[in-house]
Amino acid sequence: MAFTLPKESYSGKVLSLTFGKDDKAVTIGGEDTLPFLSFEGSIPNRPAIAYEIQDSPIDDWPETLKAVYKDVSDDPVKWARYCQDELKAQAIALRLVSTHPDRENRSADDAAKTVSEVLSAVETPLIILGSNHVEKDSEVLVKVSEAASGHNCVIGKAQEGNYKTIVAAALAHNHKLIAMSELDINLAKQLNILITQMGFDKSRLITDPMCSALGYGLEYTYSVMERIRLAALMQNDATMQPPILGDVGMYVWKTKETMAEESDVPEWGAIEERGIAWESITATSMIMAGANLLIMRHPKAVEVVKKIIDELI
Amino acid sequence: MALSGIEIFKLLPKTNCKKCGFPTCLAFAMALAQGKTEIGKCPDISEEAKSKLSEASAPPIRTFSLGKGEKAVKVGGETVMFRHDKKFFNPTVLGVNIKDDLNDEELVKRAKEVVDSEIERVGQKLRVEAISIEYASNNPERFESAVKAVAESAPDAILILNCGDPSVLERAVKLVADRRPLLYSATDANAEALANIAKANNVPLAVSAEGPEALSALTEKIKALGVEDLVLDPRPKNAGEMIQHNTIIRRAALKKGFKPLGYPIINLVTREDSLLEANIAAISIAKYASIVVLSSIEKWKNLALFTLRQNIYTDPQVPMQVEQKIYKIGEPTPESPLLITTNFSLTYFIVAGEVENSKVPSWLAVMDCEGLSVLTAWAAGKFVASKIANFIKESGVENQIKHRELIIPGQVAILSGALEDKLEGWKVIVGPREANGIPTFLRNRAA
Ligand code: SF4
């Protein structure tokens, strides 16, 4: 029996998207094949990784991770500079956790000020994230979009309950936008449609189907991402063609596996390696399923995922 | 590729002798095509036709067992490219490679690591199943004694004899033939000799060649020599090649019915950096390997890879559920708060994780709602006042706690009145809408 290469032909293509400015700008997406199958298509851009920073001192990260940022995490500007200068971050994701009503409940204007300060301190492309509080985000993200006008940032996350104001702001100030839904391809599709119906071009969108950590529903995210990619490529479904985000760090670093001391669970082994493995393997799984952009926390996890990407492309 | 009734009919004797229990050969052929009878029922069929038929009806990826006895593990038999299409059936076997040039003490220590690797996670026992013993010493006696030492120290492990020298391998395999070891590996240079050893000892054989095409030529040759339990190593140079080779092999078998590649895959993922190796192994597990051989098995690494394997091989059609009961988070006392949620595993994981993050020891009542999340279960009439009241009464939690306060998810705040009516003597408290509000909520209550 003679071997013939079983190639798939794809009718669709993932949209490419650029954020940030000048020579620091990052481009993601653009592939016309399933993840890393370069024998049957082209993959013009590598998956990109953004370092997550926060606008208020961290309290809920495990010690092993907190220690990495102990000298800079009291100030988002210092933290952003550290990511840019020491960690050579390709992108930075600033999460405005302090605006959450259950946290410091800082105002949208305060958040806008923080964003302006960070933007003037670093040239690294910025992703600006709210606190994931549906009502508050719609206020905060509008103000910060304005403050970041002209910087070609990624703003997020627009959800079913708040997308209208956020989309309008991203549109007015020329930003890219993350659309987030919860682990369901139909919800992801529907939200992308609603957003594009407001006149927001799909080539400026990033789909976030909601990440889950290794051991905590990873398989749901994995399969939803795979299905989104298949819809984009095989069925040429235009609403499913924006690049995909894996917001990895925030789901990983609250799991027991990243927190429990080895003395409490000797059978789980060294806590530091365990946490780094947890974040990197979650991230690696996400890019296998189709993610184009990752948000991560631990520099060693980022480093190993970069090595993986080097091997993959 | 399955044959049609007519195609099968053409291979039958066409005498309509009825010995098969069917009135005609055609009727028999039709029943066979539908899987309603077996080929053995026709006593007069020619050997040639028989082998053609069983070939055609064989699954696209061969399934067989590695190892012997209770801890034998099935490999192969996969039917889909994507887990959401059906499911992945036979979870990847994890193994570690041990070189025979270590001293005996070290060898035994490494083998014991495999024995001690078993841990439990969400009700399943997980472990490193296989040990590969690599012929690195260039000393046949050394290899034999290493195989013996490892086999004795790890009596349940699946053995992989990693040695390409036929004369050395032949002697070693005799020592452990009853364990049904996997021989690694037949190449262009030694295929015939290794195939003969595999056949004589009735053990599976790994075949390695650069890339799927070269592999397919080699498996055809080996199959012709009478060995059919084969494992494929496409020898990828990096992770990118690994995904592509593994994908091409799986696709050729499933979509093209290409038999020469219809076998399980083995990937050796050795990297100097253990963390990098763990991530390469993760790719291998997600992308179609049936056996992954590592160079080290630290506990943190095992935990992560076991978990990933469990995630990827979960049946996507069955909603993951956790057991209905009152869970303890931390070390709760009779005064600790009591929360309730549904038994959809994702809901449970997220809620339990956030309760844990709050550092407030708590009781978490998890109610069987057939694996639905809170809102869906409420909408489906499964997470409603009367049923919650019954569950709380029957759970025995009233004997575990002194207070009578139940915290319900904010999404079903609407239930609180009805629930207080049904649950006499209890106060119902509406918790946060989203799980990420739980830590603040619990801390504020505790303060
Ligand atoms: S036993 Fe065989 S030859 Fe006889 S009728 Fe059945 S199929 Fe035909």
Side-chain angles (χ1 to χ4, degrees), chain A residues 1 6 38-40 215-216 219 223 226 254 256 280 284 288 311, chain B residues 83 121 220 239-240 243-244 251 271 279 287 307 311 346 354 356:
Chain A
M1 238 188 257
S38 38
F39 75 96
E40 60 187 7
Y216 295 85
E219 68 274 26
S223 283
E226 281 201 326
K254 63 181 179 191
K256 214 192 296 175
S280 59
T284 295
M288 298 304 303
E311 278 203 33
Chain B
R83 57 182 294 284
R121 193 180 178 282
E220 280 198 297
I243 291 185
Q244 299 189 64
R251 218 189 254 166
R271 297 292 185 281
N279 276 270
K287 288 292 164 191
T307 306
N311 285 173
L346 200 50
E354 295 293 357
E356 191 145 341

PDB file of all heavy atoms in Angstrom, chain A residues 1 6 38-40 215-216 219 223 226 254 256 280 284 288 311, chain B residues 83 121 220 239-240 243-244 251 271 279 287 307 311 346 354 356:
ATOM      1  N   MET A   1       0.854  -1.192   0.000  1.00  0.00           N
ATOM      2  CA  MET A   1       0.000   0.000   0.000  1.00  0.00           C
ATOM      3  C   MET A   1       0.886   1.238   0.000  1.00  0.00           C
ATOM      4  O   MET A   1       1.776   1.346   0.825  1.00  0.00           O
ATOM      5  CB  MET A   1      -0.860   0.007   1.263  1.00  0.00           C
ATOM      6  CG  MET A   1      -2.348   0.043   0.966  1.00  0.00           C
ATOM      7  SD  MET A   1      -3.262   0.273   2.494  1.00  0.00           S
ATOM      8  CE  MET A   1      -3.849  -1.398   2.749  1.00  0.00           C
ATOM      9  N   PRO A   6      -1.877  12.556   4.107  1.00  0.00           N
ATOM     10  CA  PRO A   6      -3.292  12.899   4.288  1.00  0.00           C
ATOM     11  C   PRO A   6      -3.469  14.369   4.648  1.00  0.00           C
ATOM     12  O   PRO A   6      -3.611  14.718   5.807  1.00  0.00           O
ATOM     13  CB  PRO A   6      -3.729  11.991   5.439  1.00  0.00           C
ATOM     14  CG  PRO A   6      -2.478  11.749   6.215  1.00  0.00           C
ATOM     15  CD  PRO A   6      -1.312  11.882   5.280  1.00  0.00           C
ATOM     16  N   SER A  38       2.296  22.832  10.038  1.00  0.00           N
ATOM     17  CA  SER A  38       2.832  23.645   8.945  1.00  0.00           C
ATOM     18  C   SER A  38       3.004  22.849   7.657  1.00  0.00           C
ATOM     19  O   SER A  38       3.243  23.432   6.613  1.00  0.00           O
ATOM     20  CB  SER A  38       4.127  24.340   9.357  1.00  0.00           C
ATOM     21  OG  SER A  38       4.897  23.500  10.147  1.00  0.00           O
ATOM     22  N   PHE A  39       2.825  21.526   7.703  1.00  0.00           N
ATOM     23  CA  PHE A  39       2.929  20.761   6.450  1.00  0.00           C
ATOM     24  C   PHE A  39       1.734  21.009   5.533  1.00  0.00           C
ATOM     25  O   PHE A  39       1.780  20.650   4.356  1.00  0.00           O
ATOM     26  CB  PHE A  39       3.098  19.258   6.715  1.00  0.00           C
ATOM     27  CG  PHE A  39       1.840  18.536   7.164  1.00  0.00           C
ATOM     28  CD1 PHE A  39       1.040  17.862   6.255  1.00  0.00           C
ATOM     29  CD2 PHE A  39       1.474  18.535   8.495  1.00  0.00           C
ATOM     30  CE1 PHE A  39      -0.118  17.191   6.672  1.00  0.00           C
ATOM     31  CE2 PHE A  39       0.328  17.870   8.920  1.00  0.00           C
ATOM     32  CZ  PHE A  39      -0.470  17.200   8.009  1.00  0.00           C
ATOM     33  N   GLU A  40       0.683  21.618   6.079  1.00  0.00           N
ATOM     34  CA  GLU A  40      -0.467  21.828   5.195  1.00  0.00           C
ATOM     35  C   GLU A  40      -0.987  23.260   5.206  1.00  0.00           C
ATOM     36  O   GLU A  40      -2.098  23.511   4.725  1.00  0.00           O
ATOM     37  CB  GLU A  40      -1.598  20.849   5.532  1.00  0.00           C
ATOM     38  CG  GLU A  40      -2.126  20.973   6.950  1.00  0.00           C
ATOM     39  CD  GLU A  40      -3.119  19.876   7.299  1.00  0.00           C
ATOM     40  OE1 GLU A  40      -3.301  18.952   6.490  1.00  0.00           O
ATOM     41  OE2 GLU A  40      -3.702  19.948   8.382  1.00  0.00           O
ATOM     42  N   GLY A 215      -6.712  20.391  35.404  1.00  0.00           N
ATOM     43  CA  GLY A 215      -7.378  19.722  36.520  1.00  0.00           C
ATOM     44  C   GLY A 215      -8.661  20.388  36.959  1.00  0.00           C
ATOM     45  O   GLY A 215      -9.396  19.861  37.789  1.00  0.00           O
ATOM     46  N   TYR A 216      -8.949  21.565  36.450  1.00  0.00           N
ATOM     47  CA  TYR A 216     -10.151  22.292  36.853  1.00  0.00           C
ATOM     48  C   TYR A 216     -10.942  22.706  35.617  1.00  0.00           C
ATOM     49  O   TYR A 216     -11.251  23.873  35.419  1.00  0.00           O
ATOM     50  CB  TYR A 216      -9.768  23.499  37.722  1.00  0.00           C
ATOM     51  CG  TYR A 216      -9.137  23.052  39.012  1.00  0.00           C
ATOM     52  CD1 TYR A 216      -7.770  22.762  39.063  1.00  0.00           C
ATOM     53  CD2 TYR A 216      -9.902  22.813  40.149  1.00  0.00           C
ATOM     54  CE1 TYR A 216      -7.186  22.275  40.225  1.00  0.00           C
ATOM     55  CE2 TYR A 216      -9.332  22.343  41.310  1.00  0.00           C
ATOM     56  CZ  TYR A 216      -7.978  22.072  41.346  1.00  0.00           C
ATOM     57  OH  TYR A 216      -7.415  21.584  42.498  1.00  0.00           O
ATOM     58  N   GLU A 219     -10.246  20.559  30.091  1.00  0.00           N
ATOM     59  CA  GLU A 219     -10.749  19.868  28.900  1.00  0.00           C
ATOM     60  C   GLU A 219     -11.925  20.598  28.253  1.00  0.00           C
ATOM     61  O   GLU A 219     -12.126  20.500  27.048  1.00  0.00           O
ATOM     62  CB  GLU A 219     -11.117  18.419  29.228  1.00  0.00           C
ATOM     63  CG  GLU A 219     -12.321  18.209  30.146  1.00  0.00           C
ATOM     64  CD  GLU A 219     -11.962  18.272  31.638  1.00  0.00           C
ATOM     65  OE1 GLU A 219     -10.973  18.930  32.005  1.00  0.00           O
ATOM     66  OE2 GLU A 219     -12.714  17.665  32.438  1.00  0.00           O
ATOM     67  N   SER A 223     -11.564  21.824  24.390  1.00  0.00           N
ATOM     68  CA  SER A 223     -12.462  21.397  23.310  1.00  0.00           C
ATOM     69  C   SER A 223     -13.231  22.563  22.697  1.00  0.00           C
ATOM     70  O   SER A 223     -13.482  22.563  21.494  1.00  0.00           O
ATOM     71  CB  SER A 223     -13.427  20.308  23.806  1.00  0.00           C
ATOM     72  OG  SER A 223     -12.726  19.081  23.885  1.00  0.00           O
ATOM     73  N   GLU A 226     -10.796  24.109  20.318  1.00  0.00           N
ATOM     74  CA  GLU A 226     -10.641  23.276  19.116  1.00  0.00           C
ATOM     75  C   GLU A 226     -11.835  23.437  18.189  1.00  0.00           C
ATOM     76  O   GLU A 226     -11.695  23.528  16.968  1.00  0.00           O
ATOM     77  CB  GLU A 226     -10.487  21.788  19.488  1.00  0.00           C
ATOM     78  CG  GLU A 226      -9.107  21.428  19.964  1.00  0.00           C
ATOM     79  CD  GLU A 226      -8.774  19.934  19.845  1.00  0.00           C
ATOM     80  OE1 GLU A 226      -9.684  19.089  20.025  1.00  0.00           O
ATOM     81  OE2 GLU A 226      -7.620  19.600  19.576  1.00  0.00           O
ATOM     82  N   LYS A 254      -4.803  29.990  41.463  1.00  0.00           N
ATOM     83  CA  LYS A 254      -5.656  29.859  42.645  1.00  0.00           C
ATOM     84  C   LYS A 254      -5.995  28.402  42.904  1.00  0.00           C
ATOM     85  O   LYS A 254      -6.791  28.101  43.780  1.00  0.00           O
ATOM     86  CB  LYS A 254      -6.913  30.723  42.484  1.00  0.00           C
ATOM     87  CG  LYS A 254      -7.791  30.333  41.346  1.00  0.00           C
ATOM     88  CD  LYS A 254      -8.984  31.264  41.287  1.00  0.00           C
ATOM     89  CE  LYS A 254      -9.884  30.912  40.125  1.00  0.00           C
ATOM     90  NZ  LYS A 254     -10.893  31.933  39.885  1.00  0.00           N
ATOM     91  N   LYS A 256      -5.367  24.541  44.160  1.00  0.00           N
ATOM     92  CA  LYS A 256      -4.708  23.926  45.296  1.00  0.00           C
ATOM     93  C   LYS A 256      -3.296  23.477  44.917  1.00  0.00           C
ATOM     94  O   LYS A 256      -2.361  23.573  45.687  1.00  0.00           O
ATOM     95  CB  LYS A 256      -5.541  22.706  45.703  1.00  0.00           C
ATOM     96  CG  LYS A 256      -5.567  22.428  47.184  1.00  0.00           C
ATOM     97  CD  LYS A 256      -6.147  21.052  47.476  1.00  0.00           C
ATOM     98  CE  LYS A 256      -7.608  20.902  47.068  1.00  0.00           C
ATOM     99  NZ  LYS A 256      -8.131  19.543  47.232  1.00  0.00           N
ATOM    100  N   SER A 280       2.559  26.363  33.025  1.00  0.00           N
ATOM    101  CA  SER A 280       3.092  26.161  31.675  1.00  0.00           C
ATOM    102  C   SER A 280       2.312  25.080  30.933  1.00  0.00           C
ATOM    103  O   SER A 280       2.029  25.225  29.736  1.00  0.00           O
ATOM    104  CB  SER A 280       4.592  25.845  31.724  1.00  0.00           C
ATOM    105  OG  SER A 280       4.850  24.692  32.483  1.00  0.00           O
ATOM    106  N   THR A 284       0.530  25.543  27.461  1.00  0.00           N
ATOM    107  CA  THR A 284       0.886  24.700  26.315  1.00  0.00           C
ATOM    108  C   THR A 284      -0.359  24.016  25.745  1.00  0.00           C
ATOM    109  O   THR A 284      -0.552  23.947  24.527  1.00  0.00           O
ATOM    110  CB  THR A 284       1.944  23.646  26.732  1.00  0.00           C
ATOM    111  OG1 THR A 284       3.140  24.333  27.090  1.00  0.00           O
ATOM    112  CG2 THR A 284       2.255  22.687  25.611  1.00  0.00           C
ATOM    113  N   MET A 288      -2.026  24.398  21.932  1.00  0.00           N
ATOM    114  CA  MET A 288      -2.306  23.194  21.137  1.00  0.00           C
ATOM    115  C   MET A 288      -3.736  23.220  20.613  1.00  0.00           C
ATOM    116  O   MET A 288      -4.043  22.648  19.568  1.00  0.00           O
ATOM    117  CB  MET A 288      -2.181  21.931  21.999  1.00  0.00           C
ATOM    118  CG  MET A 288      -0.845  21.665  22.588  1.00  0.00           C
ATOM    119  SD  MET A 288       0.390  21.602  21.344  1.00  0.00           S
ATOM    120  CE  MET A 288      -0.300  20.327  20.352  1.00  0.00           C
ATOM    121  N   GLU A 311      10.192  25.278  19.553  1.00  0.00           N
ATOM    122  CA  GLU A 311      10.229  23.933  18.977  1.00  0.00           C
ATOM    123  C   GLU A 311       9.077  23.694  18.007  1.00  0.00           C
ATOM    124  O   GLU A 311       9.177  22.892  17.087  1.00  0.00           O
ATOM    125  CB  GLU A 311      10.152  22.870  20.085  1.00  0.00           C
ATOM    126  CG  GLU A 311      11.458  22.577  20.757  1.00  0.00           C
ATOM    127  CD  GLU A 311      11.463  21.184  21.396  1.00  0.00           C
ATOM    128  OE1 GLU A 311      10.832  20.262  20.872  1.00  0.00           O
ATOM    129  OE2 GLU A 311      12.112  21.044  22.448  1.00  0.00           O
TER     130      GLU A 311
ATOM    131  N   ARG B  83     -11.287  15.125  20.580  1.00  0.00           N
ATOM    132  CA  ARG B  83     -11.972  14.458  21.684  1.00  0.00           C
ATOM    133  C   ARG B  83     -13.457  14.806  21.744  1.00  0.00           C
ATOM    134  O   ARG B  83     -14.265  13.995  22.168  1.00  0.00           O
ATOM    135  CB  ARG B  83     -11.284  14.729  23.021  1.00  0.00           C
ATOM    136  CG  ARG B  83     -11.151  16.173  23.393  1.00  0.00           C
ATOM    137  CD  ARG B  83     -10.403  16.330  24.715  1.00  0.00           C
ATOM    138  NE  ARG B  83     -11.138  15.779  25.838  1.00  0.00           N
ATOM    139  CZ  ARG B  83     -12.191  16.369  26.401  1.00  0.00           C
ATOM    140  NH1 ARG B  83     -12.625  17.524  25.954  1.00  0.00           N
ATOM    141  NH2 ARG B  83     -12.801  15.809  27.428  1.00  0.00           N
ATOM    142  N   ARG B 121      -6.430  10.863  42.402  1.00  0.00           N
ATOM    143  CA  ARG B 121      -6.962  12.183  42.071  1.00  0.00           C
ATOM    144  C   ARG B 121      -8.388  12.021  41.583  1.00  0.00           C
ATOM    145  O   ARG B 121      -8.639  11.187  40.715  1.00  0.00           O
ATOM    146  CB  ARG B 121      -6.095  12.858  41.010  1.00  0.00           C
ATOM    147  CG  ARG B 121      -6.421  14.322  40.877  1.00  0.00           C
ATOM    148  CD  ARG B 121      -5.609  15.058  39.851  1.00  0.00           C
ATOM    149  NE  ARG B 121      -6.090  16.426  39.819  1.00  0.00           N
ATOM    150  CZ  ARG B 121      -7.202  16.802  39.211  1.00  0.00           C
ATOM    151  NH1 ARG B 121      -7.915  15.927  38.537  1.00  0.00           N
ATOM    152  NH2 ARG B 121      -7.619  18.046  39.266  1.00  0.00           N
ATOM    153  N   GLU B 220       4.909  -2.617   7.055  1.00  0.00           N
ATOM    154  CA  GLU B 220       4.412  -3.608   6.094  1.00  0.00           C
ATOM    155  C   GLU B 220       5.338  -4.813   6.029  1.00  0.00           C
ATOM    156  O   GLU B 220       4.904  -5.958   5.995  1.00  0.00           O
ATOM    157  CB  GLU B 220       4.281  -2.959   4.712  1.00  0.00           C
ATOM    158  CG  GLU B 220       3.001  -2.143   4.600  1.00  0.00           C
ATOM    159  CD  GLU B 220       2.628  -1.857   3.156  1.00  0.00           C
ATOM    160  OE1 GLU B 220       3.407  -1.175   2.467  1.00  0.00           O
ATOM    161  OE2 GLU B 220       1.558  -2.337   2.736  1.00  0.00           O
ATOM    162  N   ALA B 239       9.249  19.312  18.868  1.00  0.00           N
ATOM    163  CA  ALA B 239       7.822  19.228  19.184  1.00  0.00           C
ATOM    164  C   ALA B 239       6.955  19.469  17.949  1.00  0.00           C
ATOM    165  O   ALA B 239       5.895  18.862  17.788  1.00  0.00           O
ATOM    166  CB  ALA B 239       7.467  20.232  20.279  1.00  0.00           C
ATOM    167  N   GLY B 240       7.411  20.365  17.071  1.00  0.00           N
ATOM    168  CA  GLY B 240       6.645  20.654  15.866  1.00  0.00           C
ATOM    169  C   GLY B 240       6.511  19.419  14.986  1.00  0.00           C
ATOM    170  O   GLY B 240       5.420  19.082  14.513  1.00  0.00           O
ATOM    171  N   ILE B 243       4.028  16.819  16.643  1.00  0.00           N
ATOM    172  CA  ILE B 243       2.602  17.033  16.394  1.00  0.00           C
ATOM    173  C   ILE B 243       2.248  16.626  14.973  1.00  0.00           C
ATOM    174  O   ILE B 243       1.232  15.984  14.734  1.00  0.00           O
ATOM    175  CB  ILE B 243       2.240  18.526  16.527  1.00  0.00           C
ATOM    176  CG1 ILE B 243       2.347  18.960  17.959  1.00  0.00           C
ATOM    177  CG2 ILE B 243       0.842  18.785  16.008  1.00  0.00           C
ATOM    178  CD1 ILE B 243       1.883  20.375  18.159  1.00  0.00           C
ATOM    179  N   GLN B 244       3.101  17.012  14.034  1.00  0.00           N
ATOM    180  CA  GLN B 244       2.763  16.746  12.637  1.00  0.00           C
ATOM    181  C   GLN B 244       2.819  15.255  12.319  1.00  0.00           C
ATOM    182  O   GLN B 244       1.911  14.714  11.695  1.00  0.00           O
ATOM    183  CB  GLN B 244       3.683  17.553  11.721  1.00  0.00           C
ATOM    184  CG  GLN B 244       3.508  19.039  11.988  1.00  0.00           C
ATOM    185  CD  GLN B 244       4.223  19.909  10.980  1.00  0.00           C
ATOM    186  OE1 GLN B 244       3.890  19.886   9.806  1.00  0.00           O
ATOM    187  NE2 GLN B 244       5.201  20.646  11.434  1.00  0.00           N
ATOM    188  N   ARG B 251      -4.348  10.459  11.266  1.00  0.00           N
ATOM    189  CA  ARG B 251      -5.251  10.811  10.174  1.00  0.00           C
ATOM    190  C   ARG B 251      -5.230   9.748   9.062  1.00  0.00           C
ATOM    191  O   ARG B 251      -6.270   9.365   8.550  1.00  0.00           O
ATOM    192  CB  ARG B 251      -4.832  12.166   9.601  1.00  0.00           C
ATOM    193  CG  ARG B 251      -6.005  13.032   9.214  1.00  0.00           C
ATOM    194  CD  ARG B 251      -5.495  14.233   8.465  1.00  0.00           C
ATOM    195  NE  ARG B 251      -5.527  15.454   9.244  1.00  0.00           N
ATOM    196  CZ  ARG B 251      -4.877  16.565   8.880  1.00  0.00           C
ATOM    197  NH1 ARG B 251      -4.120  16.581   7.792  1.00  0.00           N
ATOM    198  NH2 ARG B 251      -4.980  17.648   9.601  1.00  0.00           N
ATOM    199  N   ARG B 271      14.268  15.535  27.298  1.00  0.00           N
ATOM    200  CA  ARG B 271      14.890  16.853  27.206  1.00  0.00           C
ATOM    201  C   ARG B 271      15.729  17.026  28.458  1.00  0.00           C
ATOM    202  O   ARG B 271      15.387  16.491  29.516  1.00  0.00           O
ATOM    203  CB  ARG B 271      13.839  17.979  27.153  1.00  0.00           C
ATOM    204  CG  ARG B 271      12.908  17.977  25.961  1.00  0.00           C
ATOM    205  CD  ARG B 271      13.612  18.292  24.653  1.00  0.00           C
ATOM    206  NE  ARG B 271      12.683  18.405  23.530  1.00  0.00           N
ATOM    207  CZ  ARG B 271      12.130  17.386  22.870  1.00  0.00           C
ATOM    208  NH1 ARG B 271      12.396  16.136  23.224  1.00  0.00           N
ATOM    209  NH2 ARG B 271      11.309  17.610  21.861  1.00  0.00           N
ATOM    210  N   ASN B 279       6.416  19.633  29.473  1.00  0.00           N
ATOM    211  CA  ASN B 279       5.556  20.299  28.495  1.00  0.00           C
ATOM    212  C   ASN B 279       5.529  19.569  27.153  1.00  0.00           C
ATOM    213  O   ASN B 279       4.495  19.519  26.492  1.00  0.00           O
ATOM    214  CB  ASN B 279       5.986  21.756  28.295  1.00  0.00           C
ATOM    215  CG  ASN B 279       5.392  22.673  29.348  1.00  0.00           C
ATOM    216  OD1 ASN B 279       4.308  23.220  29.181  1.00  0.00           O
ATOM    217  ND2 ASN B 279       6.074  22.800  30.477  1.00  0.00           N
ATOM    218  N   LYS B 287      -1.817  15.169  21.799  1.00  0.00           N
ATOM    219  CA  LYS B 287      -1.784  14.888  20.371  1.00  0.00           C
ATOM    220  C   LYS B 287      -1.355  13.463  20.073  1.00  0.00           C
ATOM    221  O   LYS B 287      -0.311  13.220  19.464  1.00  0.00           O
ATOM    222  CB  LYS B 287      -0.915  15.920  19.647  1.00  0.00           C
ATOM    223  CG  LYS B 287      -1.582  17.289  19.571  1.00  0.00           C
ATOM    224  CD  LYS B 287      -2.814  17.259  18.660  1.00  0.00           C
ATOM    225  CE  LYS B 287      -3.694  18.476  18.862  1.00  0.00           C
ATOM    226  NZ  LYS B 287      -4.992  18.359  18.202  1.00  0.00           N
ATOM    227  N   THR B 307      -2.776  14.514  35.604  1.00  0.00           N
ATOM    228  CA  THR B 307      -3.967  15.357  35.559  1.00  0.00           C
ATOM    229  C   THR B 307      -4.335  15.697  34.120  1.00  0.00           C
ATOM    230  O   THR B 307      -5.498  15.619  33.730  1.00  0.00           O
ATOM    231  CB  THR B 307      -3.728  16.640  36.380  1.00  0.00           C
ATOM    232  OG1 THR B 307      -3.312  16.269  37.681  1.00  0.00           O
ATOM    233  CG2 THR B 307      -4.986  17.482  36.471  1.00  0.00           C
ATOM    234  N   ASN B 311      -7.709  14.752  32.101  1.00  0.00           N
ATOM    235  CA  ASN B 311      -8.538  15.773  31.449  1.00  0.00           C
ATOM    236  C   ASN B 311      -8.793  15.419  29.989  1.00  0.00           C
ATOM    237  O   ASN B 311      -9.930  15.445  29.523  1.00  0.00           O
ATOM    238  CB  ASN B 311      -7.848  17.139  31.497  1.00  0.00           C
ATOM    239  CG  ASN B 311      -7.897  17.793  32.878  1.00  0.00           C
ATOM    240  OD1 ASN B 311      -7.284  18.822  33.104  1.00  0.00           O
ATOM    241  ND2 ASN B 311      -8.631  17.210  33.812  1.00  0.00           N
ATOM    242  N   LEU B 346     -17.249  21.123  37.381  1.00  0.00           N
ATOM    243  CA  LEU B 346     -16.599  22.417  37.193  1.00  0.00           C
ATOM    244  C   LEU B 346     -17.096  23.421  38.239  1.00  0.00           C
ATOM    245  O   LEU B 346     -16.321  24.167  38.830  1.00  0.00           O
ATOM    246  CB  LEU B 346     -16.905  22.922  35.783  1.00  0.00           C
ATOM    247  CG  LEU B 346     -15.975  23.976  35.230  1.00  0.00           C
ATOM    248  CD1 LEU B 346     -14.524  23.567  35.391  1.00  0.00           C
ATOM    249  CD2 LEU B 346     -16.277  24.196  33.751  1.00  0.00           C
ATOM    250  N   GLU B 354     -12.582  28.567  45.579  1.00  0.00           N
ATOM    251  CA  GLU B 354     -12.755  29.914  46.137  1.00  0.00           C
ATOM    252  C   GLU B 354     -12.984  29.863  47.648  1.00  0.00           C
ATOM    253  O   GLU B 354     -12.510  30.738  48.376  1.00  0.00           O
ATOM    254  CB  GLU B 354     -13.916  30.647  45.448  1.00  0.00           C
ATOM    255  CG  GLU B 354     -13.672  30.940  43.970  1.00  0.00           C
ATOM    256  CD  GLU B 354     -12.557  31.962  43.703  1.00  0.00           C
ATOM    257  OE1 GLU B 354     -11.978  32.510  44.670  1.00  0.00           O
ATOM    258  OE2 GLU B 354     -12.266  32.200  42.515  1.00  0.00           O
ATOM    259  N   GLU B 356     -11.752  27.654  49.543  1.00  0.00           N
ATOM    260  CA  GLU B 356     -10.415  27.398  50.060  1.00  0.00           C
ATOM    261  C   GLU B 356      -9.586  28.687  50.114  1.00  0.00           C
ATOM    262  O   GLU B 356      -8.914  28.968  51.090  1.00  0.00           O
ATOM    263  CB  GLU B 356      -9.735  26.364  49.168  1.00  0.00           C
ATOM    264  CG  GLU B 356      -8.471  25.845  49.748  1.00  0.00           C
ATOM    265  CD  GLU B 356      -8.273  24.370  49.390  1.00  0.00           C
ATOM    266  OE1 GLU B 356      -9.243  23.684  49.027  1.00  0.00           O
ATOM    267  OE2 GLU B 356      -7.145  23.931  49.469  1.00  0.00           O
TER     268      GLU B 356
END
